[in-house]
Amino acid sequence: MASSFQDASALVAEARRLYGQMFGEEAPQVAVCAPGRVNLIGEHTDYNQGFVLPMALPLVTVVVGSRTSGQDVTIATATGDADEPHRVNFSLCSDGSTLAPGLPSWANYVKGVIQHYRASPVPGFRAVIASSVPLGGGLSSSASLEVAFYTFLQQLKPDDGDKVSKALACQKAEHTHAGVPCGIMDQFVSVLGRESHALLIDCRSLEATPIPLTDPGLVILITNSNVKHSLTGSEYPARRRQCEEAASILGKDSLRDATMKNLEDAKDRLDDVTYRRARHVIEEIERTVQAAEALKRGAYEEFGKLMVESHDSLRDLYEVSCRELDELVSAAMEVEGVFGSRMTGGGFGGCTVTLLQANAIDRMILHLQLWKQTWQISSHLPVFGGIPVTTVAC
Ligand code: ADP
Ligand code: MG
């Protein structure tokens, strides 16, 4: 990915420097990277077998390291959560007991990937992680960590799997070791995302359709509310359970198979909350298909309208937004040249994504600063393929 190269190479240099400090002069044998993602539309639809429309980002996680002769593993992160130790040691043993989830919690993502690696047992190694994906920001730092680590293991001991099986193994790692019953979107797009394209993913068939994003007149803006979500809490699993319950009451395998007519017909048998959760999912799946068609046709006004409908539904029906995200979307929609804006990722904090005309970006950033003086522009990203992706943090 040429346009993420600069970012990745700076991170690799940082990780190499830390590796040198920790392990002496020896240079690491392997350096790999995997991207974070922004989801343009299709939220909380992946675990309902529906459609999603994410794109890989020039924000990446890198892993550098080397195979060692024994069974010992040492891993350090240059960019972990502040309240946890940044280094972990354990020994790989035949019964797998040292891979059980524990503390520090960031190491669980790595242990999960080792456990589900298709060519296990893996050899001992030393590794250093560095990332430009914000942690817990809804841009999928966790999947980029899992996929980067899986790629690292492939360099130490090749596996025989294809890309989809790699994404599935990384998803399993998040289920078993981070306790997040996530859908397949994040790991899938981190493995299969393409430069200058969004990816329409059918989360049931796992078919992916790349949609070009190369219009020079467009910009995608990611705004980080800096409100930290905690998806491992009870909310995400609760939403998933409510969807399963709704599908079962409707007599369907998943909400992917349900229509709004099915839902309206069954309304008396559903409590109000379950009805609203199901309505979001059924309508969001439809919106995502429509949005992908609109994007292909260059119908950005229509795409933007669907983004706003998605946000409103996530706020009112699915109840996973928060005040800061709602304010960011409202502020964005006041700016001329903005097509649409919505929260992105699981919610309860994290980022918004906005689609706008390239010539409106300065106006947009100024407006955000005026709207709330505490919102500060902290970073801009380079062009990712065809469309510039710009990030700001509030
Ligand atoms: P998101 O995937 O949206 O960023 P998650 O809550 O799913 O949010 O994952 C964030 C967690 O992933 C972090 O709290 C940390 O445990 C782990 N993580 C991600 N990237 C790194 C990293 N570079 N170093 C250490 N831990 C990381
Ligand atoms: Mg995550």
Side-chain angles (χ1 to χ4, degrees):
M1 282 184 286
S3 56
S4 61
F5 178 74
Q6 271 192 331
D7 181 51
S9 60
L11 284 169
V12 167
E14 187 187 340
R16 277 176 182 276
R17 194 184 49 74
L18 195 60
Y19 189 92
Q21 265 177 17
M22 286 178 65
F23 305 118
E25 291 304 307
E26 180 198 353
Q29 295 156 357
V30 172
V32 297
C33 87
R37 61 100 188 96
V38 65
N39 190 20
L40 300 177
I41 193 162
E43 217 65 78
H44 290 277
T45 48
D46 59 351
Y47 54 82
N48 289 293
Q49 313 291 307
F51 288 91
V52 291
L53 186 61
M55 63 183 276
L57 285 174
L59 298 168
V60 294
T61 296
V62 307
V63 178
V64 305
S66 297
R67 182 176 178 148
T68 54
S69 53
Q71 294 296 101
D72 291 342
V73 167
T74 305
I75 314 163
T77 174
T79 46
D81 288 312
D83 54 354
E84 288 201 311
H86 284 185
R87 183 175 168 151
V88 71
N89 296 290
F90 54 89
S91 212
L92 297 161
C93 58
S94 53
D95 67 1
S97 55
T98 50
L99 296 178
L103 290 174
S105 47
W106 63 264
N108 293 333
Y109 296 88
V110 177
K111 289 177 178 174
V113 170
I114 297 174
Q115 179 154 319
H116 298 296
Y117 186 60
R118 290 172 58 90
S120 70
V122 302
F125 61 85
R126 298 161 164 175
V128 172
I129 302 160
S131 184
S132 54
V133 189
L135 270 50
L139 302 182
S140 220
S141 68
S142 61
S144 69
L145 173 58
E146 291 147 8
V147 173
F149 227 90
Y150 197 103
T151 312
F152 174 71
L153 295 181
Q154 286 176 307
Q155 298 295 313
L156 301 189
K157 182 183 178 193
D159 69 340
D160 58 358
D162 61 8
K163 288 183 172 181
V164 171
S165 63
K166 175 174 174 175
L168 288 167
C170 291
Q171 179 197 24
K172 213 165 172 189
E174 185 134 354
H175 287 190
T176 59
H177 280 67
V180 183
C182 60
I184 189 61
M185 168 170 66
D186 301 353
Q187 292 81 8
F188 194 99
V189 68
S190 185
V191 176
L192 287 118
R194 280 208 215 165
E195 189 173 353
S196 310
H197 289 81
L199 213 56
L200 178 68
I201 306 168
D202 178 336
C203 298
R204 180 156 62 187
S205 67
L206 297 184
E207 244 177 88
T209 312
I211 300 180
L213 276 174
T214 49
D215 186 333
L218 279 187
V219 167
I220 289 168
L221 174 74
I222 296 168
T223 314
N224 193 343
S225 71
N226 278 327
V227 177
K228 277 257 175 139
H229 70 224
S230 173
L231 290 181
T232 35
S234 58
E235 295 292 343
Y236 189 100
R239 294 298 181 286
R240 195 170 172 151
R241 270 197 310 278
Q242 287 157 346
C243 292
E244 284 161 5
E245 191 191 327
S248 141
I249 293 171
L250 296 182
K252 307 287 181 189
D253 287 342
S254 72
L255 288 177
R256 165 73 180 271
D257 298 314
T259 61
M260 275 307 293
K261 172 151 188 345
N262 298 147
L263 185 65
E264 292 307 325
D265 288 349
K267 199 167 179 180
D268 331 338
R269 289 183 283 130
L270 295 161
D271 64 67
D272 176 54
V273 171
T274 313
Y275 168 82
R276 287 188 290 122
R277 303 297 189 250
R279 183 171 157 196
H280 164 75
V281 172
I282 294 168
E283 291 180 338
E284 181 81 353
I285 291 173
E286 181 56 31
R287 266 194 292 272
T288 305
V289 175
Q290 282 175 19
E293 283 306 313
L295 199 57
K296 276 188 212 156
R297 282 186 275 113
Y300 305 131
E301 296 278 356
E302 186 183 336
F303 190 91
K305 196 167 156 276
L306 292 163
M307 288 175 88
V308 174
E309 282 175 22
S310 167
H311 182 81
D312 291 350
S313 177
L314 288 158
R315 182 193 60 211
D316 300 334
L317 299 177
Y318 219 64
E319 296 180 285
V320 290
S321 187
C322 63
R323 184 178 49 80
E324 292 82 354
L325 292 173
D326 296 342
E327 282 185 3
L328 280 169
V329 169
S330 300
M333 292 314 297
E334 287 175 359
V335 177
E336 198 191 325
V338 168
F339 295 113
S341 184
R342 58 184 287 280
M343 54 157 275
T344 187
F348 309 107
C351 293
T352 62
V353 58
T354 303
L355 185 72
L356 66 160
Q357 286 170 359
N359 62 15
I361 188 73
D362 291 342
R363 192 160 60 231
M364 168 76 182
I365 290 174
L366 188 66
H367 184 71
L368 287 182
Q369 286 173 317
L370 291 176
W371 221 77
K372 208 168 191 181
Q373 284 181 353
T374 51
W375 290 355
Q376 287 170 356
I377 309 311
S378 68
S379 63
H380 288 250
L381 289 182
V383 171
F384 181 64
I387 296 213
V389 179
T390 301
T391 57
V392 303
C394 299

